[in-house]
Amino acid sequence: GAVVSQHPSRVICKSGTSVKIECRSLDFQATTMFWYRQFPKQSLMLMATSNEGSKATYEQGVEKDKFLINHASLTLSTLTVTSAHPEDSSFYICSARDAGPGGHEQFFGPGTRLTVL
Amino acid sequence: QQQVKQSPQSLIVQKGGISIINCAYENTAFDYFPWYQQFPGKGPALLIAIRPDVSEKKEGRFTISFNKSAKQFSLHIMDSQPGDSATYFCAASIRGGSEKLVFGKGTKLTVNP
């Protein structure tokens, strides 16, 4: 089955620092990757759609200068939380959509727990 | 228009029982309806998905029932097991469009032994 990895699985940082989270599709190519954040006991909230080779599309209310997304290859997208603050502490999850014909299933990564002190 | 409403918020069933989770949507353009299972601290995993051209899809103990006219779909878990205890999310998207998934709020299922 399709596998999506995320690194790191958890990170603790000081307020004001930047954190980069990687999302990789391991056995398929993904023209589109999605980034979500999930607060405890809540549903997934889509932050942005990342398309390989083009700028990410951000959902309303998501600061694009704070959450930098780069999708440089068909297997890698990165999310950088810049100048992180305690309110950015959350569970960040990426998903990837198979670029193959007819592919529309999204496969999710295991998530990254970010804690900002 | 973009909402997917999921119920119940939490569900407790006995081992061997049937778990039923319901979802309703408004946007008739949705044409892909997946269900995801999420364990604490993990990412969601695709369980089963259905397209609106069929009314039911079964995979093992998991069945999706789809009612296009009512704009509702449900997940049935037969012979529920303690290992099924997790949070379940329904979702909907438009294939060929942005492919963005719209998620329900989730149902926390507890299966007692």
Side-chain angles (χ1 to χ4, degrees):
Chain A
V3 179
V4 176
S5 70
Q6 279 184 244
H7 178 81
S9 58
R10 58 177 63 233
V11 57
I12 301 173
C13 68
K14 293 181 178 180
S15 184
T17 60
S18 294
V19 175
K20 180 185 283 188
I21 302 170
E22 292 185 348
C23 176
R24 293 181 185 272
S25 56
L26 298 185
D27 50 2
F28 66 100
Q29 294 184 327
T31 51
T32 305
M33 290 184 172
F34 302 87
W35 286 96
Y36 299 82
R37 63 190 297 181
Q38 185 179 34
F39 291 107
K41 299 184 180 180
Q42 292 190 22
S43 189
L44 285 80
M45 185 190 80
L46 179 65
M47 298 175 66
T49 302
S50 168
N51 293 294
E52 186 265 338
S54 64
K55 290 183 178 180
T57 303
Y58 291 81
E59 295 299 299
Q60 190 173 11
V62 178
E63 299 176 59
K64 61 180 180 181
D65 294 330
K66 181 169 185 62
F67 299 100
L68 301 179
I69 292 173
N70 183 276
H71 192 160
S73 77
L74 286 174
T75 59
L76 173 64
S77 177
T78 59
L79 168 68
T80 301
V81 183
T82 62
S83 186
H85 291 283
E87 58 265 30
D88 298 323
S89 298
S90 188
F91 193 49
Y92 291 86
I93 311 171
C94 70
S95 71
R97 185 169 71 88
D98 195 330
H104 54 266
E105 292 181 4
Q106 286 188 32
F107 301 96
F108 284 81
T112 296
R113 174 75 58 193
L114 171 63
T115 302
V116 185
L117 302 177
Chain B
Q1 275 279 322
Q2 289 293 342
Q3 280 189 325
V4 176
K5 296 182 179 180
Q6 184 172 346
S7 62
Q9 187 175 359
S10 62
L11 179 63
I12 300 174
V13 300
Q14 293 299 119
K15 178 181 176 181
I18 302 173
S19 303
I20 302 174
I21 305 171
N22 301 298
C23 283
Y25 63 97
E26 290 294 326
N27 190 347
T28 55
F30 287 143
D31 59 358
Y32 176 65
F33 303 90
W35 284 90
Y36 290 89
Q37 178 189 57
Q38 185 179 31
F39 293 103
K42 305 293 183 183
L46 178 65
L47 261 182
I48 186 172
I50 198 167
R51 300 175 188 181
D53 52 347
V54 296
S55 60
E56 185 175 282
K57 183 176 180 179
K58 182 176 181 179
E59 289 185 2
R61 295 186 294 110
F62 300 94
T63 300
I64 298 179
S65 297
F66 185 81
N67 186 328
K68 188 174 181 177
S69 61
K71 292 184 286 186
Q72 296 176 347
F73 58 109
S74 60
L75 176 69
H76 292 62
I77 305 175
M78 312 300 287
D79 187 26
S80 299
Q81 299 296 313
D84 296 330
S85 297
T87 299
Y88 293 81
F89 294 95
C90 64
S93 70
I94 302 170
R95 292 176 295 159
S98 67
E99 302 276 359
K100 291 193 294 186
L101 286 169
V102 179
F103 281 90
K105 291 186 180 295
T107 297
K108 183 177 181 181
L109 171 66
T110 303
V111 181
N112 290 326

